[in-house]
Amino acid sequence: MAEVLIIGSGGREAALEQSMIASDEVERVIVTNDVSTGIEQFSGNKKPLVIVGPELPLVQGLADELRAEGYLVFGASKAAARYEASKSFAVRMMERAGVLHPETHSVRTESEAAEFILNNSPTNYMIKADGLAGGKGVVLPSTRTEALDAALGMLSGDFYDGAGKEIVNFAQRHSGPEVSAMIVVGDNDEFTILPLAQDHKRLSEDDTGPNTGGMGAYAPVPVSIISNGQYAQLFESVEKTLKGMRTSGTPFERGLLYGGFMLSEQQEGKPVVIEYNVRFGDPETQVILPLVREAGVDMYNLLRSAAEGGLEKPDVDFAKLAISALTVCLAAPGYPNNPQKGADIYGIDNDYTDVDLQLAGVKNSKVSGGRVLYVTGTGKTIDQAAANAYAAIDVQRVGSQTNKVGFAGMQFRKDIGRQVRARF
Ligand code: GLY
C-alpha cells in the first residue's frame, strides 16, 4: 500500500487529500506546509509519493531537492517553475513555439514604461508584474495616470512583495470566456487534460466586486461555451507548448501545468493563453477532483504514473462526461481585504448527499482564514450538482440549529456556474 505526502494547507490540498484517500492503493496521507515535519512522519525504507500544492516551494526548488533524495515527486522542477514565476520567460517561449498568447511588451525601467504608456491607449493592455504575486499583480488601467502609477509602483518593488521590480509586462487585452485547463504531464511531452473548469474570481454575484482567490467554480465546461473545434485548438496549443518548452531547453515534466485560456473575441474565438501556472488551480482542483473520482479515475495512479515519467492516461473520455460538479466557497466576513477570524463553524462533521467539504481556513472548527471552506456538489447535470452543493449550505442563515454548514457573517455567491445553469 502506498503513502502520500501533500505539501500545502488550503482547499486545493484538502481536495487532493480526498482524492488520494479515495484510491484503493493508498493507506496513509499526510498534508502539511512543513516539509521536514511531513517527511519525518514517514519512517523506514518506504518513501511516500510527494505532491507539491503551491507554486512557491516549486519555484524554490523543492521538487528537485526531494527527487535528489530519492523521493517520487509530482511537481515541476525549479527551472520549469519559471514558466509561472516569470511571465516574460513564458511569453518568450510561446513566441518561439507559435502558441497563441496576448502580444506582450516587457520593460525594465521607468522611462521604458513611460514611453509605452504614452504611445498606447491604456484600455488596450493589462499590466502584469513579473514574478510571484500571489494571484495579484495584474492591473487593467482606465487612464494613463493609473497605468503609470501601477507600472512605477511595480518597478519600485513596493507592490506585490517585490514582483515587478525587475520586469513589468504590458499584455494586449482580449475579451471572451475564460476556461481553466489542468494538464497532468509525464515525460516526453505525454499529457492528459483533466475536465475543463470555469472559476469566478469576483466576490459578489453577477461577477461584480473585488477580485478574490476564487469564490467558486464548475466543471466540465459544456460545448455551449467551448465548441469541439475550440477544444481541439486548445489541445493543439498544449501540445505546442510542451514541445516549445522542450526545444527552449526547459522541458515541463512530472507535474501539473495549469493553462488559463481565453476564447478570444479578437481572435475569432480561438483559445489564447492568458497565463501558465505550474501547479493545481485553486478552486479548480476542488471542483475537478470529485468529478474525476465520480468518473472512476484513480488520481493516485494518474499522479504516481506521471511522477514516475510513464504517464498512464485514464481510460475515460473527459470530453464526454455524464457528470458535473460545482464548488461554492464560503468566505470569512471582511474577505478579501480584512477577513475576520474566530467565528464558530457549524455542520462540518455532517454527512451530505453527493457533497464534498474541503476545509481551508478552519482551525478547531473556527474560522482561521479568508477562504474558509469549499462545498462541492456532484450530480448528473450542472443544475443537480448546484442543487446538491447549495442544499448543504445554510443559505437562509438559520444558525447552528440547522443541519447545514455555515458560520456567522459568511460570504458566498448563489450564482456560481451562472453561465450554464438553467436557474439560480
Ligand atoms: N483559479 C486560478 C488559479 O488557480 O490560478
Side-chain angles (χ1 to χ4, degrees):
M1 293 288 279
E3 300 188 313
V4 182
L5 171 62
I6 298 171
I7 306 300
S9 63
R12 167 181 54 200
E13 287 75 23
L16 280 163
E17 179 184 21
Q18 286 169 343
S19 74
M20 293 299 113
I21 290 170
S23 169
D24 292 340
E25 315 261 333
V26 174
E27 71 174 346
R28 189 159 72 116
V29 186
I30 303 278
V31 185
T32 177
N33 265 327
D34 183 339
V35 181
S36 341
T37 310
I39 293 280
E40 271 167 24
Q41 302 198 41
F42 298 91
S43 54
N45 293 332
K46 203 159 87 179
K47 288 189 160 143
L49 166 68
V50 184
I51 302 172
V52 185
E55 60 276 17
L56 186 59
L58 293 167
V59 171
Q60 292 170 335
L62 179 64
D64 311 65
E65 283 164 31
L66 292 176
R67 282 188 183 114
E69 288 171 30
Y71 288 89
L72 189 59
V73 182
F74 184 76
S77 67
K78 180 176 182 169
R82 260 190 97 198
Y83 292 117
E84 175 162 356
S86 169
K87 297 298 174 201
S88 56
F89 180 69
V91 163
R92 287 200 303 276
M93 178 278 297
M94 288 191 275
E95 275 166 6
R96 287 193 293 268
V99 174
L100 204 52
H101 65 283
E103 198 178 311
T104 303
H105 181 76
S106 304
V107 301
R108 290 178 177 272
T109 65
E110 292 184 0
S111 59
E112 286 172 356
E115 189 186 342
F116 182 88
I117 290 166
L118 193 67
N119 292 325
N120 291 276
S121 167
T123 52
N124 281 353
Y125 55 80
M126 49 190 163
I127 309 177
K128 291 183 163 186
D130 217 65
L132 292 188
K136 303 193 179 87
V138 179
V139 175
L140 279 70
S142 327
T143 63
R144 286 196 164 86
T145 309
E146 264 178 47
L148 203 59
D149 286 350
L152 299 194
M154 289 175 187
L155 284 166
S156 74
D158 293 342
F159 289 11
Y160 316 120
D161 294 331
K165 191 170 175 358
E166 303 295 329
I167 299 176
V168 168
N169 304 299
F170 293 91
Q172 182 194 2
R173 274 193 223 183
H174 287 255
S175 44
E178 284 185 59
V179 295
S180 311
M182 297 213 294
I183 307 147
V184 180
V185 186
D187 280 354
N188 305 316
D189 307 335
E190 285 290 316
F191 69 93
T192 192
I193 304 181
L194 298 178
L196 301 182
Q198 287 197 292
D199 68 343
H200 295 271
K201 295 186 176 71
R202 300 295 191 126
L203 178 69
S204 310
E205 278 155 28
D206 297 331
D207 289 326
T208 57
N211 259 328
T212 70
M215 293 302 289
Y218 81 90
V221 182
V223 287
S224 58
I225 303 277
I226 181 165
S227 68
N228 291 336
Q230 287 169 311
Y231 185 85
Q233 289 165 343
L234 185 152
F235 190 90
E236 197 185 318
S237 194
V238 174
E239 277 180 329
K240 274 192 192 171
T241 297
L242 290 172
K243 201 163 165 230
M245 288 171 160
R246 182 168 299 285
T247 51
S248 297
T250 309
F252 190 97
E253 291 168 332
R254 306 185 182 202
L256 194 293
L257 184 65
Y258 169 105
F261 288 87
M262 184 172 274
L263 307 175
S264 167
E265 285 156 13
Q266 290 75 12
Q267 292 282 347
E268 296 91 39
K270 287 189 190 132
V272 168
V273 177
I274 300 299
E275 63 177 352
Y276 273 124
N277 294 324
V278 300
R279 38 86 191 152
F280 284 91
D282 189 344
E284 289 89 342
T285 305
Q286 292 88 310
V287 79
I288 288 172
L289 294 191
L291 178 66
V292 167
R293 180 195 65 217
E294 293 301 309
V297 175
D298 184 322
M299 270 311 275
Y300 168 75
N301 276 330
L302 182 62
L303 302 190
R304 189 249 328 127
S305 69
E308 287 169 351
L311 181 70
E312 293 163 18
K313 294 187 192 178
D315 195 15
V316 171
D317 185 350
F318 287 135
K320 294 194 184 134
L321 288 182
I323 185 152
S324 292
L326 185 138
T327 290
V328 182
C329 173
L330 304 188
Y335 176 79
N337 295 329
N338 184 23
Q340 306 294 302
K341 301 178 185 169
D344 288 319
I345 307 168
Y346 45 86
I348 41 177
D349 295 323
N350 297 351
D351 280 333
Y352 300 99
T353 308
D354 294 327
V355 165
D356 288 50
L357 295 188
Q358 296 132 344
L359 308 189
V362 178
K363 201 165 182 191
N364 300 328
S365 299
K366 290 184 189 299
V367 171
S368 68
R371 290 193 288 164
V372 179
L373 62 94
Y374 300 83
V375 184
T376 300
T378 46
K380 287 206 167 102
T381 62
I382 196 67
D383 281 301
Q384 190 56 55
N388 290 339
Y390 285 105
I393 300 170
D394 181 14
V395 173
Q396 304 300 329
R397 300 178 190 273
V398 171
S400 55
Q401 62 272 37
T402 178
N403 54 3
K404 301 178 183 215
V405 66
F407 51 89
M410 65 181 170
Q411 303 186 82
F412 64 94
R413 287 181 52 167
K414 293 186 192 145
D415 67 342
I416 300 300
R418 62 201 301 277
Q419 311 88 316
V420 292
R421 280 166 62 192
R423 57 189 180 278
F424 55 85

